[in-house]
Amino acid sequence: MNEQPLVSVVIATYNMGQYLPLAIDSVLNQTWTNLEVVVVDDGSEDDTREQMKKYGGDPRVRYIPTENKGQPQAKNRGLQEAKGDFIAFCDADDLWQPHKLEVQIPCFDNEDVGVVYSEVSYIDQHGEPVDKETPYERYSGVVTDKLVIKNFVPFGTAVIRRSCMEEDGAFDEDLPMGIDWDLWLRYSMNWQFQYVPDKTYTYRIWPGQMSKNYRGRYKNAFLILNKFLETHPNALPKAVQANAWADMYVSRGMSLATAEKLFFQPLKDVLTGLRYNFFFLPGWKALLKLLLGRARV
């Protein structure tokens, strides 16, 4: 690409005035210069509007205050307002690294690639680095068979080709959580994904954030998986679908065992997972941990 195409960066925010300017500044400080930032304020009740006044004279930043309708609606409003050939995301409490777009956008030279994503680093609520292992293996190419088992695409790292949205839709507004996994599954049916190992995105870990709501996450994950498999019943081999359900039940069971020190409900989930795939090794490992009490220590 000889000329820089326009990249639209959507930031949906709700009561994140303390972090929002840091997120915006990290995007504006990109080595990639042809970009716009679309900030959709989902009815914030803090000082977000005051914080946004500092960007009033910057033509690269558009501030769109709305009524509080939830993050899917806010993100979709951002997508509607985006003018770029490519669309990227940054959560209001996170940060971009300056080279993010410079290393990711060239991957779109391959016209089959619809989503380019990268690796993540972590900080705490005060901005101090946090050591955390990468939870999932990353994949490139045609990834539906891997993605249906684990959402290995960190949301804020993703840059999408505008055609993805135009051809395969935006976020499902009926889902309060897990909307990115639902989106990636749909996009994976028609587009390739490309992983860039650079740490271009910094995820902030702080008390009270939605990502800690594991029960809500799993509730919506079950809905998303069921919806995808019902919509695309022949997209994946039966064995892959069985693995997806097995992993879903086992993962939920072990989350409950670890977080709430439960036994019988996790045991039921693990056994259900093994009924989907008797040879699912993580299920047997989870069962052993439960029986030995290690998952609840």
Side-chain angles (χ1 to χ4, degrees):
M1 298 179 181
N2 295 324
E3 297 182 2
Q4 289 188 346
L6 176 64
V7 179
S8 298
V9 184
V10 175
I11 300 178
T13 185
Y14 175 70
N15 289 344
M16 285 291 154
Q18 61 177 328
Y19 295 131
L20 179 60
L22 297 174
I24 296 173
D25 290 344
S26 74
V27 174
L28 295 178
N29 289 334
Q30 287 292 294
T31 56
W32 188 275
T33 57
N34 193 17
L35 56 81
E36 65 169 1
V37 182
V38 182
V39 179
V40 180
D41 182 359
D42 186 35
S44 293
E45 299 174 343
D46 62 355
D47 63 343
T48 293
R49 190 178 293 267
E50 287 296 314
Q51 295 287 352
M52 288 304 301
K53 287 181 179 179
K54 65 179 287 191
Y55 303 101
D58 193 328
R60 298 172 296 173
V61 180
R62 279 186 286 151
Y63 176 53
I64 304 170
T66 67
E67 295 180 2
N68 179 246
K69 296 181 179 180
Q71 63 156 329
Q73 289 84 351
K75 285 182 168 68
N76 278 345
R77 177 64 185 275
L79 292 178
Q80 293 167 8
E81 298 284 343
K83 300 175 181 178
D85 301 299
F86 300 96
I87 302 170
F89 306 95
C90 184
D91 283 344
D93 52 345
D94 295 339
L95 303 169
W96 276 19
Q97 295 301 313
H99 64 296
K100 176 176 171 59
L101 294 177
E102 185 178 356
V103 301
Q104 289 185 246
I105 294 297
C107 295
F108 289 105
D109 284 345
N110 180 349
E111 295 184 357
D112 293 328
V113 170
V115 179
V116 178
Y117 71 103
S118 71
E119 202 47 73
V120 184
S121 58
Y122 300 89
I123 56 175
D124 64 17
Q125 65 205 74
H126 305 297
E128 295 299 320
V130 174
D131 289 330
K132 187 174 179 181
E133 294 183 1
T134 301
Y136 306 129
E137 187 173 349
R138 315 296 191 191
Y139 299 94
S140 294
V142 179
V143 299
T144 309
D145 60 334
K146 306 294 185 183
L147 191 60
V148 77
I149 295 175
K150 292 291 186 185
N151 181 12
F152 52 79
V153 179
F155 172 70
T157 74
V159 183
I160 68 172
R161 194 184 294 273
R162 186 180 191 86
S163 301
C164 290
M165 178 186 68
E166 294 173 343
E167 296 177 17
D168 299 306
F171 295 102
D172 185 343
E173 296 185 0
D174 291 328
L175 293 170
M177 299 178 69
I179 57 174
D180 56 326
W181 188 37
D182 173 76
L183 194 73
W184 305 147
L185 284 169
R186 280 187 276 128
Y187 287 1
S188 74
M189 294 298 297
N190 297 312
W191 302 91
Q192 292 185 19
F193 283 50
Q194 181 63 51
Y195 169 60
V196 175
D198 301 57
K199 292 183 177 180
T200 73
Y201 192 83
T202 303
Y203 182 88
R204 189 185 304 272
I205 301 172
W206 54 275
Q209 62 193 148
M210 183 180 291
S211 62
K212 292 182 180 293
N213 182 5
Y214 55 90
R215 279 190 176 267
R217 283 206 317 274
Y218 278 106
K219 177 181 178 181
N220 284 277
F222 273 83
L223 293 174
I224 291 165
L225 180 58
N226 190 63
K227 177 183 117 175
F228 177 75
L229 294 179
E230 284 190 348
T231 305
H232 306 91
N234 301 315
L236 296 167
K238 295 299 182 182
V240 174
Q241 296 185 35
N243 273 348
W245 283 117
D247 182 82
M248 182 72 74
Y249 277 100
V250 171
S251 296
R252 183 178 69 176
M254 297 312 287
S255 291
L256 293 174
T258 302
E260 300 183 21
K261 315 304 180 189
L262 301 177
F263 177 75
F264 289 106
Q265 187 174 349
L267 178 64
K268 180 180 178 181
D269 271 352
V270 170
L271 292 176
T272 301
L274 288 171
R275 279 198 291 271
Y276 274 98
N277 181 2
F278 184 79
F279 299 101
F280 187 62
L281 184 58
W284 289 106
K285 290 181 178 179
L287 181 60
L288 184 60
K289 285 183 179 180
L290 278 176
L291 295 177
L292 294 177
R294 292 178 182 176
R296 292 171 285 128
V297 175

